[in-house]
Amino acid sequence: MALIVGMGMLFASCAGMQGKPTAANFKDPIVALDSVQVTQYNGYWYYGGNIKPTKGMAGNNSAVLPLSFVFNITNPNSFPVQLDGFGFTITFEDFDVNMVNAYETQWIPPGKTNQIAVYSIVDVRQVLLSLLVPNAFKVKEKGTNAWALLEKWWTGIAEYTIPIHVKGGSATFIAGSEQKVIPFKATFPQ
């Protein structure tokens, strides 16, 4: 009987060690970019709608660039936290090329690190339009043109000679009734 009572007290004390999340004891989880992977590389190409395709309809078409961003999410707390929102902007040099969000939730155990992979597809046409319209002055200030930037990025990205920046990132964490939004940014390769 003493053994059963002793084990019960041990389990109760271990359960109590996790603690209840409060604003005072909820430490910021850590978001760190582990890697960026080019999941498929199709080269650099673009053709306009005046080109007659072998099959299908003509249109402005371009190479796509699928990317996978892998992040380590570390929970420094003595209680589990839930990742409930995750998003960031992808930037090549000083130019925003895409905004991505991950909507999957996951629980991160106390003192442990989970990974989350966030996928994005960027295409030459999408980035071209961004460089020609909202970023036209910035492109001109750099003394280059949209086509030169696109070719540099698409031909350099497969060998990781072009740094990929993550900026304006935010991750939402929930523990009990507490919530934290953690900002993050990173560059790959570092």
Side-chain angles (χ1 to χ4, degrees), residues 18-126:
Q18 283 191 347
K20 182 179 179 193
T22 65
N25 71 358
F26 190 177
K27 298 175 192 165
D28 291 353
I30 301 160
V31 177
L33 181 62
D34 181 71
S35 65
V36 176
Q37 300 157 5
V38 177
T39 58
Q40 180 178 340
Y41 185 69
N42 299 312
Y44 170 70
W45 52 269
Y46 179 91
Y47 61 86
N50 58 340
I51 303 295
K52 182 174 173 16
T54 304
K55 299 276 185 190
M57 305 292 291
N60 297 318
N61 292 289
S62 63
V64 296
L65 184 61
L67 300 169
S68 174
F69 294 78
V70 179
F71 292 87
N72 292 322
I73 313 290
T74 302
N75 176 9
N77 294 286
S78 61
F79 44 81
V81 297
Q82 181 185 36
L83 174 63
D84 191 45
F86 198 86
F88 57 92
T89 299
I90 302 167
T91 304
F92 297 161
E93 294 185 33
D94 294 336
F95 298 93
D96 297 348
V97 296
N98 203 6
M99 293 177 65
V100 292
N101 291 293
Y103 299 102
E104 302 82 10
T105 60
Q106 64 172 271
W107 283 95
I108 303 145
K112 300 294 182 184
T113 299
N114 283 10
Q115 284 193 325
I116 183 172
V118 181
Y119 303 96
S120 173
I121 296 178
V122 182
D123 68 70
V124 171
R125 174 99 175 136
Q126 162 198 354

Side-chain angles (χ1 to χ4, degrees), residues 171-188:
T172 303
F173 295 94
I174 298 171
S177 61
E178 301 299 323
Q179 177 176 315
K180 283 188 176 249
V181 178
I182 306 299
F184 62 90
K185 63 182 180 176
T187 298
F188 188 87

Side-chain angles (χ1 to χ4, degrees), residues 44 91-97 122-142 144-154:
Y44 170 70
T91 304
F92 297 161
E93 294 185 33
D94 294 336
F95 298 93
D96 297 348
V97 296
V122 182
D123 68 70
V124 171
R125 174 99 175 136
Q126 162 198 354
V127 178
L128 172 65
L129 295 175
S130 171
L131 293 173
L132 291 176
V133 182
N135 287 299
F137 291 117
K138 189 190 283 189
V139 171
K140 188 175 181 179
E141 285 173 6
K142 290 200 172 276
T144 188
N145 65 65
W147 291 110
L149 288 171
L150 287 165
E151 184 169 358
K152 178 173 82 169
W153 296 339
W154 253 258

